[in-house]
Amino acid sequence: MPEVGSKKDKAQTQKYILGKPSITPANVDEVDLEKLSVELAGDAAAFAAMADDDTDTTAPAFTVMRHPDTNDIHTLTAELTEEDADKLKSKYKGALLVEPDHQLFMQTTEATFEMSQLPITAANSSNELKITLKVVDENGAPVGSARVDLAGEVWSDQQMTNAQGRVALKLFGETLDSLTELRIKPALDHWSRIIQQPAFAAKENTVTVTSLPASLDAPQVNLWGNDAIGNVQMPASDRIRVAVIDSGFADGHPDVVAAGGRGFAAEGNPEEDWKTDDSGHGTHVAGTISALNNGIGMRGVADRVDVFALRVFPGASFSKLIAAIDEAIALKVDVVNMSLGGANQSDLLQQRMQAAREAGILLVAAAGNSGGAVMYPAAYPEVMAVSAIGKFGTFPEDSFHSRHVTDHVTSDGSCFAARFTCRGPEIDVCGPGVAIVSTLPGPGFGSYDGTSMASPHVAGIAAVLLAQRPDIHGMPRNGARSKTLFQAVLGSCQSLGLPPELQGHGMPTLTADNISAPPSDDGIDVIADLIRKALEAAKTIKETT
């Protein structure tokens, strides 16, 4: 039997991304990434050849990523030890960037709806408290697959309701009088509920949760987010193409469809993996942007768009986001939504953001949910950073959404800056991000919070504006196009009276005929050209009279 050792005794590897800086230092030669890829491939082959057949050691993972247009390598990924990474940095000096392939996270607050307390006493069957309850809707029908969290002073338990809506919870060291909080989060179609100091009977207990406004069995409803930003129909035009870089898409939902996609999340079939959405996050985001105007459920902000689901979760990281951005460039999308982020900066990731902008793509990203500094990629100047607001009266007061209310209230008193939203000078705009109802696998609907929910509102607005502005849509796919659309979104903003670090320019809003916008820097050149032509015409008229 082998002796248990420590992993610290072995050289640990991690994934790195490698590439050239935007500007190579003058005192070093530019790196040939094709040659470097051959070198790294040779190292991997040698490693595999030297591996002992009796061990489970495998060759380090190694991949290349190429420009969609030129097919030149722009980034490499490799499994390296910290020592190997330092050797590469030393060998190539400042001519090669070697960055950890940091993880990225969904920017939704769903993960915070967890057990609030951990046990601090040893379990003892003699002081076990058993609670049974049934979760029902307002009509008395059972609500299955609801997450139930019951907390006391020293213990908590979390279980799921069965098909009959029933659940049994066990807490140790608690009494009926020491219970502090009951939290219920239905999987689909109902609001969450929080009950402080719950009063339970010894045996049978019933808790009622309220249905969401959107349903496949009822007429289509207008949701508060759409009303806030302007619920307008897109004009007839060439369809706008939007990429949703997220957790995939629940193919088959009757209220939202995708035009295509690709999977980058894990080993499997990339042509099919994007149709899977284990978390529901990507499907929720896609619904906010493009839920069908079909008379049932809900309607997305942009009702005439082609959505492409680029799946990077689970396990999203810089390299997967880079690969998804390359796919968006290859697909020639107009807008990219990224409801994800992390605290770490990457020069190589920023280069791909710049490449997307130069391909005429507007990049929109969630600012983050830590309540602190704006996260990446939203913090890059190439990306439109979106913070989150909520609106009073749009959710039950005993729901989890109420915990996001703050004293940062809009000038008309109707809305508030969400407690979780990241803030700072990088914020460009704000959008609806509390109690956002949208599509979920099941199929059904769910109400989520987060800058993840605010970002797709803005991405949808950008799509509508692009359809309303053929002068922008018809521009060559270059940096001027994306910059002009960026400025058009900013030009549609209405200030809410919040501090700039919370709202940026304000909340973008749509009208039925949003055909004008403040000129960008590039727009100044257009105006100058029009003035020049007018003067030439006037001169011609004068000369002929």
Side-chain angles (χ1 to χ4, degrees):
M1 184 177 295
E3 180 71 19
V4 176
S6 171
K7 292 181 180 179
K8 293 182 180 181
D9 296 334
K10 299 179 181 180
Q12 296 296 300
T13 64
Q14 65 172 312
K15 196 172 184 180
Y16 288 84
I17 53 176
L18 319 175
K20 295 187 289 186
S22 299
I23 301 176
T24 301
N27 60 334
V28 296
D29 295 328
E30 184 175 347
V31 175
D32 186 328
L33 294 181
E34 293 286 352
K35 290 183 178 180
L36 178 59
S37 69
V38 172
E39 175 187 335
L40 292 175
D43 290 345
F47 184 90
M50 291 185 295
D52 187 343
D53 293 338
D54 295 332
T55 69
D56 59 0
T57 304
T58 57
F62 165 72
T63 60
V64 300
M65 288 183 277
R66 298 178 179 273
H67 291 282
D69 297 328
T70 66
N71 205 40
D72 294 332
I73 296 175
H74 60 72
T75 308
L76 305 97
T77 68
E79 290 280 351
L80 304 170
T81 64
E82 187 175 351
E83 181 181 2
D84 288 338
D86 289 340
K87 287 180 179 179
L88 282 173
K89 293 177 185 178
S90 177
K91 178 178 179 179
Y92 293 99
K93 308 300 181 184
L96 181 69
L97 298 177
V98 182
E99 302 176 340
D101 189 16
H102 286 295
Q103 191 174 359
L104 295 167
F105 304 92
M106 300 175 186
Q107 297 306 319
T108 178
T109 65
E110 287 302 290
T112 65
F113 199 98
E114 299 292 342
M115 288 185 288
S116 57
Q117 299 192 25
L118 294 175
I120 59 174
T121 60
N124 185 334
S125 60
S126 64
N127 63 357
E128 178 184 86
L129 174 65
K130 295 181 180 180
I131 297 291
T132 60
L133 60 87
K134 183 178 182 180
V135 180
V136 299
D137 66 14
E138 57 267 64
N139 297 315
V143 177
S145 300
R147 194 166 67 215
V148 180
D149 175 11
L150 179 59
E153 294 177 352
V154 297
W155 200 275
S156 64
D157 190 17
Q158 184 182 93
Q159 302 293 336
M160 300 288 288
T161 59
N162 61 19
Q164 291 73 44
R166 297 185 181 277
V167 67
L169 302 126
K170 297 180 180 180
L171 294 89
F172 298 94
E174 301 290 352
T175 67
L176 291 176
D177 293 330
S178 67
L179 300 176
T180 58
E181 186 175 83
L182 173 67
R183 295 192 281 182
I184 300 175
K185 174 64 175 173
L188 294 170
D189 302 331
H190 299 86
W191 294 108
S192 62
R193 188 173 179 191
I194 299 177
I195 302 175
Q196 302 288 343
Q197 305 294 323
F200 285 106
K203 293 185 178 180
E204 292 296 326
N205 300 273
T206 300
V207 179
T208 302
V209 292
T210 307
S211 297
L212 295 176
S215 169
L216 295 175
D217 300 323
Q220 182 174 287
V221 297
N222 285 331
L223 301 172
W224 87 262
N226 290 51
D227 286 339
I229 55 92
N231 203 4
V232 303
Q233 185 172 340
M234 293 179 70
S237 68
D238 292 338
R239 292 180 72 84
I240 308 303
R241 296 161 73 88
V242 180
V244 175
I245 301 178
D246 215 292
S247 62
F249 179 81
D251 196 30
H253 196 293
D255 208 25
V256 64
V257 298
R262 190 169 182 84
F264 302 94
E267 293 181 3
N269 183 354
E271 302 297 332
E272 296 293 328
D273 290 348
W274 63 270
K275 299 175 184 178
T276 301
D277 185 10
D278 297 329
S279 71
H281 189 270
T283 305
H284 196 279
V285 167
T288 296
I289 295 172
S290 64
L292 301 173
N293 190 9
N294 57 1
I296 61 171
M298 56 172 284
R299 206 203 92 181
V301 175
D303 56 348
R304 294 178 180 177
V305 297
D306 289 332
V307 166
F308 295 86
L310 306 181
R311 184 175 183 242
V312 295
F313 290 102
S317 65
F318 287 168
S319 63
K320 292 177 182 178
L321 179 53
I322 287 171
I325 288 292
D326 283 349
E327 183 69 12
I329 294 173
L331 288 169
K332 298 186 183 301
V333 304
D334 301 295
V335 180
V336 168
N337 184 82
M338 297 174 286
S339 289
L340 49 76
N344 297 288
Q345 196 275 143
S346 163
D347 289 340
L348 294 174
L349 179 58
Q350 185 175 9
Q351 287 180 23
R352 300 318 296 158
M353 300 293 123
Q354 293 167 348
R357 283 291 297 268
E358 289 303 312
I361 298 171
L362 175 65
L363 301 166
V364 183
N369 295 346
S370 70
V374 176
M375 295 189 175
Y376 296 94
Y380 294 127
E382 296 81 7
V383 180
M384 180 167 285
V386 186
S387 62
I389 64 167
K391 184 175 182 179
F392 295 107
T394 60
F395 49 86
E397 292 185 1
D398 62 352
S399 69
F400 193 71
H401 307 298
S402 62
R403 297 196 168 184
H404 304 314
V405 176
T406 68
D407 294 332
H408 293 290
V409 178
T410 58
S411 54
D412 65 0
S414 67
C415 297
F416 56 90
R419 187 175 306 279
F420 54 77
T421 192
C422 287
R423 68 259 346 247
E426 300 87 355
I427 295 296
D428 293 298
V429 298
C430 62
V434 177
I436 303 304
V437 177
S438 188
T439 50
L440 286 179
F445 300 87
S447 182
Y448 284 3
D449 306 312
T451 53
S452 272
M453 287 57 255
S455 182
H457 279 90
V458 175
I461 288 169
V464 176
L465 284 173
L466 190 58
Q468 292 180 332
R469 296 287 303 273
D471 56 321
I472 303 177
H473 197 196
M475 292 176 68
R477 297 187 64 87
N478 55 29
R481 183 183 195 259
S482 59
K483 187 174 183 179
T484 304
L485 181 55
F486 196 113
Q487 292 297 323
V489 175
L490 296 186
S492 74
C493 286
Q494 301 292 327
S495 175
L496 303 181
L498 293 168
E501 63 269 21
L502 287 171
Q503 71 163 14
H505 289 72
M507 184 166 64
T509 56
L510 294 168
T511 65
D513 193 23
N514 244 322
I515 60 173
S516 63
S520 64
D521 293 342
D522 300 290
I524 293 174
D525 296 332
V526 173
I527 293 172
D529 186 58
L530 291 173
I531 293 173
R532 178 182 58 78
K533 290 179 179 179
L535 291 173
E536 290 175 353
K539 181 179 180 182
T540 301
I541 293 172
K542 183 176 181 180
E543 292 174 347
T544 56
T545 57

